[in-house]
Amino acid sequence: MLNLILFGPPGSGKGTQAANLVDKFNLKHISTGNLLREEKAKETPLGLEAKRFMDQGLLVPDEVVIGMISSTLDNEAHKVKGFIFDGFPRTVAQAEALDKLLDFKEIIIDKVLSLNVTEEELVKRIVHRGKTSGRVDDNEATIRQRITEYENKTAPVAEFYQKQHKLVNIAGEGSVDEIFKKLTAQVEILQP
Ligand code: AMP
């Protein structure tokens, strides 16, 4: 299996690049943001709980997200060549829980690709995306809150994977193609 985490702040291009990597390496894309938005749209109990946090730019509680990932892994792990996690883990507790879930299935994370983008560029990109995405959290006030959550709770996840020697920093500004080439090169090093 080939299992990757695409890491970085909101607006760093994780969704776009995950879609490209999925196509190239035939992986299963797991985006907790997309899964939560689906639950929200269907107005399931989980979706309604998540909505209260998402619409304010706050992280959804760990137990909600970890439960969702756990059932996705149970349903998919035996069917796929590998996973690309996008927007997960977003806290150290989630990273620890993921390691436990994967250990149990004798699967490892091979690499964590971290996209680095400055805050001003992030805000610019998300405001621009908000014009077409229809996402209620793509407005400037909510974006600033999402970036604050990222700095306080998510940035420490990078250190967690740095200690496991899995973190690779990639400059996330430039064209989609240029960044994709850098990501691909990192994945190809892993392949025999
Ligand atoms: P995203 O599409 O990844 O930017 O996620 C949109 C929103 O969904 C975030 O602002 C959070 O409210 C929520 N969310 C997505 N993934 C997670 C996660 N791993 N942990 C907690 N909240 C999450």
Side-chain angles (χ1 to χ4, degrees), residues 32-33 36-37 54 58-60 65 87-88 90 94 135 137 146:
T32 42
L36 289 166
R37 276 185 291 278
M54 294 170 79
L58 300 172
L59 291 186
V60 172
V65 178
F88 178 87
R90 252 177 161 104
Q94 291 179 17
R135 283 178 54 168
D137 59 349
R146 285 160 64 198

Side-chain angles (χ1 to χ4, degrees), residues 132-160:
T132 53
S133 70
R135 283 178 54 168
V136 287
D137 59 349
D138 279 349
N139 61 75
E140 184 157 354
T142 314
I143 294 155
R144 299 267 177 207
Q145 180 63 69
R146 285 160 64 198
I147 293 172
T148 303
E149 286 281 82
Y150 175 83
E151 282 164 359
N152 293 337
K153 298 179 184 167
T154 308
V157 175
E159 199 184 321
F160 178 91

Side-chain angles (χ1 to χ4, degrees), residues 36 49 120:
L36 289 166
E49 159 82 352
E120 281 327 297

Side-chain angles (χ1 to χ4, degrees), residues 56-83:
Q56 292 181 69
L58 300 172
L59 291 186
V60 172
D62 286 334
E63 58 276 15
V64 175
V65 178
I66 292 165
M68 208 171 64
I69 287 285
S70 174
S71 42
T72 308
L73 289 179
D74 285 343
N75 293 335
E76 303 285 343
H78 57 288
K79 296 185 203 159
V80 299
K81 284 181 62 182
F83 291 106

